[in-house]
Amino acid sequence: MTPRFDELIHAPTRLSLVSLLAATDWADFKFLRDSLEMSDSALSKQLTTLEAAGYVEIRKSFIAKRPRTSVRLTVPGHAAFAGHVAALQEIVARAGLAVLPDQVS
């Protein structure tokens, strides 16, 4: 993976959202909303932005006549996140630090 700082992912809310999605296959909208302590409208806005960039796939379905929205990172989304994390690690390493405290040299 090539380190690449991604302005779209770097926004704190989207960074939290993408990192949560990176650890799951499909995530339920309610799970994301509650985990990130966001309003429905704020989460929808962030997901729309990520979907427009091709970073997430949104699936809408019905379960017992109730709407259900699920989200997952796409392959490009995973790659963008991995590149962004690698870029952050490089930036931090220039200061002689590590992203994780137990990696300090």
Side-chain angles (χ1 to χ4, degrees), residues 2-105:
T2 304
R4 184 179 153 269
F5 191 87
D6 191 307
E7 291 283 342
L8 184 73
I9 291 176
H10 191 67
T13 301
R14 285 192 294 270
L15 183 58
S16 296
L17 176 56
V18 171
S19 77
L20 186 58
L21 288 170
T24 64
D25 184 22
W26 283 94
D28 186 71
F29 184 92
K30 290 177 183 179
F31 169 77
L32 295 171
R33 180 197 63 205
D34 295 346
S35 296
L36 299 170
E37 299 179 347
M38 298 177 72
S39 68
D40 287 359
S41 62
L43 179 56
S44 290
K45 181 179 178 183
Q46 298 305 326
L47 290 173
T48 298
T49 300
L50 291 167
E51 183 180 38
Y55 289 176
V56 299
E57 178 182 349
I58 299 172
R59 179 175 62 190
K60 296 185 181 271
S61 61
F62 285 88
I63 295 179
K65 297 185 182 183
R66 300 193 77 167
R68 180 175 179 177
T69 301
S70 299
V71 184
R72 73 172 174 181
L73 274 184
T74 60
V75 170
H78 276 284
F81 179 63
H84 185 69
V85 169
L88 292 175
Q89 289 172 330
E90 282 186 351
I91 291 166
V92 172
R94 288 184 201 129
L97 301 171
V99 174
L100 298 174
D102 61 348
Q103 294 178 345
V104 176
S105 336

